[in-house]
Amino acid sequence: MSMRQTSRALLLIVGVLLAWFTLREKAPAPGSSPVTASSSDLPHLSLSPTPTPPLAPPTLSPNAFITEFKKCFPNSETSPHSPDEWLLQAEQNGEIESRQLTLQNLHRRDSSGLERRMQIAPTETQAEIREFDVDEEGLPTPLATPLVIPLEQVNQVRDDFLRQGEKIYEQRKENLRFKNGLHGVVEWENQKTRDLQIFNGQRGFYCRSNECTCKGIR
Amino acid sequence: MKTIKNFRFVVLSLLLTVQTAKAAVWENTRTWSSDEEVSYSQWVKANWRNDFFTLETLPSGEANPFKGLRLDCADTVYSMRIIYSYVRRLPFAILDPSGGNRLITNQMKRFDRLPSEAEKARAFLTMMFDVVSTHSVPNDTFPIALSQTAVRPGALILTTEVNHHSWTIKDILDIGVPFLIFNSTVGRSSSIILQQRQSWPNGVWVFEGNHTPEGNAGFRDWRPLEYLQQPVWTVPGYSVEQYQIAAGKWSTEGQRRLQNRKEGTSAKLVRLAGAACEDLKQRVSAVQEGVQYLRDSGGACMNFATFDQYSTPSRDHRLFDSLADVRRAFVKASKSGAQKIDATVLKQMLKIFPQPGASAREELNGQDKAPIDANSICVVKYAKGQSIDLAEAKRRMFSGLLSSSPMDDMDYRWGNKVSPSPLARSCQSWELWTPNVNEAN
């Protein structure tokens, strides 16, 4: 093989490697598929299903869900087939006493294709707001120092953020309190239940997507 | 000649590409295992010190790349784990706090331009300070049982969002008390020495607003890397048992469970008074920061963020809790026979709490201003020509004279004058804290 052939071969290898690294870095993050943009804090429980698939496909059949559900909530009069359905029914039936947002992550993409992220962490009276750029590895780059604002300004700040692009991802964590004493936490990802933990005295009902289990509290 | 140049270019490009592909903050040479977790715990116990960020060298002998960093409470928690991972060249990862299910790891390439692993590690840690917070801690840790097998050096304590605070556990003393190391940051001119205390945080404060698993407060430990993207309840050792202990009994029950020997009465009083003294000293620098800012700004009203930064409601609440802990221990000791208390300690305690047989309010009503004398402990200078001991700090704190408002000047912050000052009255205020002396009974 001549020197020219060798250099061509190496150039080809370099090209392939560069392309591979470049494409690999541009691959979308799991769960970051687009969802319908919204500028308001929508109550997800009442939203219709979105085309976004859950992160982990359900591995249990609906019957398996009900079996676990009934283990933890033997006196429940409902027979839901999924965590989303159960929460929706509970909301519609007025069984949920309170829903408290504890964390929200929003990702938006502007018209030039740049991604920007906002994290909202509210407490009783205030909220901490963090904004991030995203580097070529898809990792967050903090912008300025976190902003602390009164709670009543959160909607305005969130709306301003979303107005500047298309919402491509949303994650919400809420603490739930039911009128019958159940309590727990739900994490929504693109308006679908990702993780759910509901505590019922000595038992915990735990779900990732539709895969649920009822376990005694240790 | 052109061919040779091309060839050189190709080889150089290939080398750079391969180097870029392999670049990491540090190269992993070990993996996490149960033995490595034991080693981590031992390292924290031996080496995690409040002056860690002043040290010239790491315990391994290499230059300390983290020297001079200032940390808030969440930074401290993550630093403990990141630095150990760096020292041992172990993989480190957290769940990306900005959302999604991706990890931020020491394999990231952002710091490739830096020439050495030490410089990359410092840059990585500093970057983490801007990314993590007490809100991200639950993603990377899991709740553990309140037991001797689960609570270990290297674990941590987190509060609910109400008080958004955290502590690293350097050690569990054989009397069942956690030795805690926590944030250095008060303000821009604060010390790089971390704070420490050998006492239980107040359980009511730790779990304030949410004494349930979803509040995420209490003892927690690091998730193994393979569980960062898994549901928290699947992590080996996951336990929500600690939430079944009443918040008000969390510390006494915890001490009972974690102790290998009972603590002597006088030793306990001295230890608790020492913890209160630490809180008092820390208040000095915090208030100084706020007063300096107020002066520098020419006494202008503050916006919400600045007010939040320089007000001290949580800090003052913690000082009150520490003093209340001392009082409760002294009252209990007095009831079971004051003769059990060392004579010197007894005099010191009586100066702070002159009527252990009365309620905290009755005692306060009969307590005069306490001059500094031979029975004073924890004499602290808080301003030029102004000092205070723990007894007088207690009197002012329990009387509600200590102001947590950053719109108040030094005399008001320390209770020489009654807050609010005219300036504080004329400006908008947000969340402040006032003590309820009945909580000290």
Side-chain angles (χ1 to χ4, degrees):
Chain A
M1 190 182 283
S2 70
M3 187 70 86
R4 177 169 291 181
Q5 283 173 320
T6 305
S7 64
R8 276 182 183 164
L10 284 169
L11 267 173
L12 183 67
I13 293 169
V14 170
V16 169
L17 284 171
L18 282 173
W20 184 76
F21 281 112
T22 307
L23 290 173
R24 191 183 62 151
E25 286 162 11
K26 298 293 182 193
S32 64
S33 47
V35 295
T36 309
S38 167
S39 62
S40 60
D41 181 17
L42 293 170
H44 296 153
L45 291 171
S46 59
L47 287 178
S48 58
T50 70
T52 310
L55 263 187
T59 55
L60 293 183
S61 69
N63 284 342
F65 173 84
I66 291 174
T67 304
E68 293 298 309
F69 181 80
K70 289 294 183 186
K71 269 192 211 170
C72 260
F73 313 113
N75 299 324
S76 175
E77 293 174 0
T78 58
S79 296
H81 297 91
S82 69
D84 280 335
E85 190 181 326
W86 177 42
L87 292 176
L88 183 60
Q89 285 177 6
E91 178 85 341
Q92 288 171 342
N93 296 338
E95 296 167 19
I96 296 178
E97 185 177 276
S98 67
R99 294 169 52 191
Q100 182 199 3
L101 178 69
T102 58
L103 193 75
Q104 185 173 28
N105 281 311
L106 294 160
H107 300 182
R108 72 149 204 254
R109 182 164 288 131
D110 66 21
S111 54
S112 63
L114 286 177
E115 184 178 335
R116 182 70 70 89
R117 300 176 182 175
M118 173 177 275
Q119 181 179 78
I120 302 169
T123 61
E124 285 179 348
T125 57
Q126 61 194 44
E128 189 177 273
I129 310 288
R130 289 167 183 257
E131 282 199 59
F132 305 92
D133 266 341
V134 180
D135 70 8
E136 62 269 25
E137 291 183 278
L139 299 174
T141 304
L143 293 167
T145 50
L147 183 66
V148 179
I149 59 171
L151 212 50
E152 57 269 23
Q153 293 177 13
V154 169
N155 285 345
Q156 180 68 46
V157 169
R158 178 169 37 209
D159 289 352
D160 287 347
F161 174 80
L162 290 174
R163 200 173 291 127
Q164 296 170 56
E166 180 196 13
K167 185 168 75 172
I168 55 170
Y169 175 82
E170 179 178 14
Q171 177 188 39
R172 288 172 63 97
K173 288 185 183 177
E174 290 183 7
N175 287 344
L176 302 178
R177 195 160 283 278
F178 291 70
K179 288 177 180 168
N180 62 2
L182 298 181
H183 57 89
V185 59
V186 60
E187 180 185 324
W188 311 85
E189 195 165 53
N190 294 335
Q191 303 169 10
K192 295 284 285 183
T193 302
R194 181 170 187 266
D195 280 353
L196 176 70
Q197 300 174 66
I198 300 292
F199 298 96
N200 179 20
Q202 295 298 308
R203 289 181 194 162
F205 185 60
Y206 304 98
C207 301
R208 161 132 320 171
S209 296
N210 285 355
E211 190 172 349
C212 301
T213 182
C214 176
K215 295 200 290 192
I217 287 177
R218 289 167 290 168
Chain B
M1 185 61 84
K2 193 176 176 184
T3 306
I4 291 171
K5 274 186 180 173
N6 278 346
F7 182 72
R8 280 182 184 163
F9 171 75
V10 167
V11 170
L12 187 63
S13 300
L14 187 60
L15 285 172
L16 282 172
T17 306
V18 171
Q19 191 182 21
T20 302
K22 285 187 174 176
V25 180
W26 64 84
E27 293 297 337
N28 302 326
T29 59
R30 293 184 176 84
T31 55
W32 284 96
S33 64
S34 53
D35 285 347
E36 196 62 55
E37 287 290 355
V38 171
S39 171
Y40 162 68
S41 209
Q42 290 168 341
W43 184 89
V44 168
K45 184 174 179 175
N47 300 304
W48 192 236
R49 301 158 32 164
N50 67 337
D51 63 352
F52 187 92
F53 293 91
T54 69
L55 300 177
E56 293 290 340
T57 56
L58 293 173
S60 58
E62 67 177 299
N64 183 359
F66 312 108
K67 187 182 173 210
L69 295 179
R70 292 174 201 278
L71 292 72
D72 71 16
C73 62
D75 299 339
T76 311
V77 163
Y78 281 95
S79 293
M80 174 175 64
R81 189 75 168 178
I82 291 171
I83 291 172
Y84 179 77
S85 301
Y86 167 72
V87 167
R88 294 281 291 169
R89 300 302 194 268
L90 288 157
F92 176 82
I94 61 166
L95 199 64
D96 181 349
S98 71
N101 202 31
R102 295 188 64 174
L103 301 178
I104 301 176
T105 79
N106 65 303
Q107 296 303 305
M108 72 186 300
K109 300 177 197 161
R110 188 176 298 176
F111 308 110
D112 281 2
R113 62 187 162 74
L114 296 174
S116 69
E117 280 194 339
E119 286 166 278
K120 288 180 189 177
R122 184 183 173 101
F124 179 68
L125 189 62
T126 308
M127 180 275 295
M128 280 289 183
F129 292 173
D130 290 330
V131 173
V132 301
S133 67
T134 50
H135 311 299
S136 64
V137 173
N139 291 338
D140 305 312
T141 61
F142 64 101
I144 54 178
L146 184 36
S147 70
Q148 292 201 7
T149 50
V151 178
R152 61 167 186 155
L156 57 120
I157 300 174
L158 184 67
T159 72
T160 58
E161 296 285 357
V162 174
N163 293 310
H164 52 90
H165 194 52
S166 55
W167 301 265
T168 63
I169 300 173
K170 173 183 169 64
D171 195 10
I172 300 295
L173 307 181
D174 61 355
I175 52 173
V177 169
F179 185 162
L180 305 170
I181 303 274
F182 51 109
N183 58 293
S184 59
T185 304
V186 175
R188 280 164 296 184
S189 62
S190 61
S191 166
I192 56 171
I193 299 281
L194 295 167
Q195 300 174 62
Q196 63 181 37
R197 60 183 291 167
Q198 295 181 27
S199 67
W200 281 79
N202 181 337
V204 174
W205 194 78
V206 169
F207 296 100
E208 187 173 348
N210 197 336
H211 185 226
T212 65
E214 57 265 31
N216 295 314
F219 286 100
R220 305 182 70 89
D221 207 339
W222 295 97
R223 294 192 198 197
L225 297 183
E226 62 271 29
Y227 284 93
L228 281 169
Q229 293 161 307
Q230 300 302 315
V232 66
W233 58 88
T234 65
V235 181
Y238 168 85
S239 170
V240 292
E241 173 266 347
Q242 63 181 309
Y243 303 104
Q244 295 175 330
I245 303 165
K249 293 182 177 171
W250 182 69
S251 57
T252 49
E253 175 62 14
Q255 184 168 3
R256 188 189 68 74
R257 291 188 189 190
L258 299 184
Q259 71 185 9
N260 291 317
R261 69 171 175 86
K262 282 211 158 194
E263 187 177 24
T265 303
S266 297
K268 181 174 186 174
L269 291 170
V270 169
R271 178 178 59 80
L272 291 175
C277 183
E278 285 296 320
D279 285 341
L280 179 62
K281 287 176 183 171
Q282 288 151 21
R283 188 180 196 274
V284 172
S285 51
V287 168
Q288 179 60 42
E289 291 277 343
V291 169
Q292 191 59 50
Y293 180 87
L294 186 66
R295 288 175 185 167
D296 291 347
S297 68
C301 291
M302 295 180 191
N303 62 22
F304 178 82
T306 310
F307 189 95
D308 183 67
Q309 182 179 349
Y310 291 110
S311 62
T312 54
S314 291
R315 184 175 296 280
D316 291 349
H317 197 164
R318 287 208 299 275
L319 174 57
F320 174 85
D321 284 342
S322 296
L323 288 163
D325 281 346
V326 191
R327 186 174 196 280
R328 277 190 287 269
F330 183 49
V331 168
K332 188 177 176 186
S334 300
K335 279 181 184 168
S336 59
Q339 68 276 11
K340 289 182 183 173
I341 306 172
D342 173 87
T344 305
V345 175
L346 181 61
K347 285 179 192 169
Q348 293 167 342
M349 289 295 125
L350 282 170
K351 177 153 198 233
I352 308 169
F353 309 107
Q355 296 182 60
S359 71
R361 183 166 296 286
E362 289 166 346
E363 178 183 84
L364 182 64
N365 291 340
Q367 190 168 11
D368 295 326
K369 188 174 179 181
I372 293 168
D373 62 20
N375 292 322
S376 292
I377 57 171
C378 189
V379 178
V380 171
K381 181 182 174 185
Y382 62 87
K384 193 175 180 183
Q386 304 267 25
S387 295
I388 195 170
D389 69 359
L390 202 58
E392 180 60 9
K394 174 262 175 181
R395 188 188 72 80
R396 295 186 191 187
M397 168 57 81
F398 281 32
S399 303
L401 290 169
L402 300 185
S403 164
S404 59
S405 170
M407 295 310 306
D408 280 333
D409 208 335
M410 194 68 84
D411 278 342
Y412 294 91
R413 296 298 297 267
W414 284 100
N416 293 320
K417 294 178 180 175
V418 179
S419 175
S421 63
L423 177 63
R425 206 176 292 125
S426 68
C427 293
Q428 185 176 1
S429 286
W430 288 271
E431 187 183 12
L432 291 172
W433 175 82
T434 51
N436 177 359
V437 71
N438 296 326
E439 289 177 0
N441 289 319

